[in-house]
């Protein structure tokens, strides 16, 4: 039995984003009667797989920084041949971050323990909390004892 031809196209929720932002990739396979799965790639790195429903499959993922060459590849089934979309280029910039530092207690007295908390926002890791904090303790020193 000869399999029927298919065509696959890829669309994205944006063409320019920042690191850590979730992007939706949607593949459309024609004819829409095709079943099975679509694999999504950036270059040769597989990002994930979506199941076809009425000719469409989607995944939502964060992407690495830099220029990404995205493709969708229909895996084929018993009736339909596989096909791969044309590449879609997406630019992913580094995340904009800010760092804040706080001390507790503030003010403090000479010789007392002080908790210093540094908060990085947004989080440097995709999918984690919007901000991450680290706390360290230090002994408060008088201004005349500070090193320069």
């Amino acid at each position: 039995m000869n399999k029927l031809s298919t065509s696959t196209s890829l669309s994205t929720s944006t063409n320019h984003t920042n690191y850590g932002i979730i992007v939706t990739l949607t593949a459309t396979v024609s004819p829409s009667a095709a079943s099975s799965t679509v694999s999504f790639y950036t270059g040769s790195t597989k990002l994930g797989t979506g199941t076809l429903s009425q000719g469409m499959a989607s995944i939502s993922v964060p992407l690495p920084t830099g220029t990404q060459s995205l493709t969708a590849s229909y895996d084929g089934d018993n009736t339909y041949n596989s096909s791969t979309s044309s590449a879609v280029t997406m630019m992913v910039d580094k995340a904009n971050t800010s760092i804040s530092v706080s001390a507790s207690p503030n003010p403090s007295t000479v010789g007392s323990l002080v908790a210093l908390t540094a908060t990085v926002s947004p989080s440097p890791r995709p999918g984690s909390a919007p901000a991450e904090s680290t706390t360290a303790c230090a002994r408060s020193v008088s201004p005349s004892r500070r090193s320069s």
Side-chain angles (χ1 to χ4, degrees):
M1 176 169 142
N2 289 336
K3 290 186 176 187
L4 302 172
S5 296
T6 63
S7 65
T8 301
S9 63
L10 174 64
S11 62
T12 62
S13 58
T14 184
N15 64 358
H16 190 186
T17 190
N18 286 340
Y19 178 76
I21 303 297
I22 303 298
V23 176
T24 299
L25 308 177
T26 302
T28 302
V29 177
S30 182
S32 61
S35 62
S36 189
T37 58
V38 175
S39 298
F40 296 87
Y41 295 88
T42 179
S44 61
T45 302
K46 188 174 185 178
L47 296 169
T49 301
T51 301
L52 278 170
S53 175
Q54 298 178 351
M56 298 178 80
S58 296
I59 63 168
S60 295
V61 294
L63 297 170
T65 58
T67 303
Q68 304 302 315
S69 179
L70 305 168
T71 56
S73 180
Y74 169 58
D75 299 328
D77 62 18
N78 291 333
T79 305
Y80 296 99
N81 281 319
S82 62
S83 60
T84 300
S85 71
S86 298
V88 172
T89 301
M90 181 180 293
M91 184 62 193
V92 182
D93 293 331
K94 293 179 181 178
N96 296 320
T97 60
S98 64
I99 300 173
S100 63
V101 179
S102 62
S104 179
N106 186 12
S108 62
T109 58
V110 174
S112 65
L113 285 179
V114 177
L116 302 173
T117 302
T119 302
V120 178
S121 185
S123 172
R125 296 189 318 258
S128 58
E132 291 192 6
S133 297
T134 300
T135 302
C137 289
R139 196 148 309 266
S140 178
V141 296
S142 67
S144 62
R145 294 181 144 187
R146 289 186 184 157
S147 59
S148 37

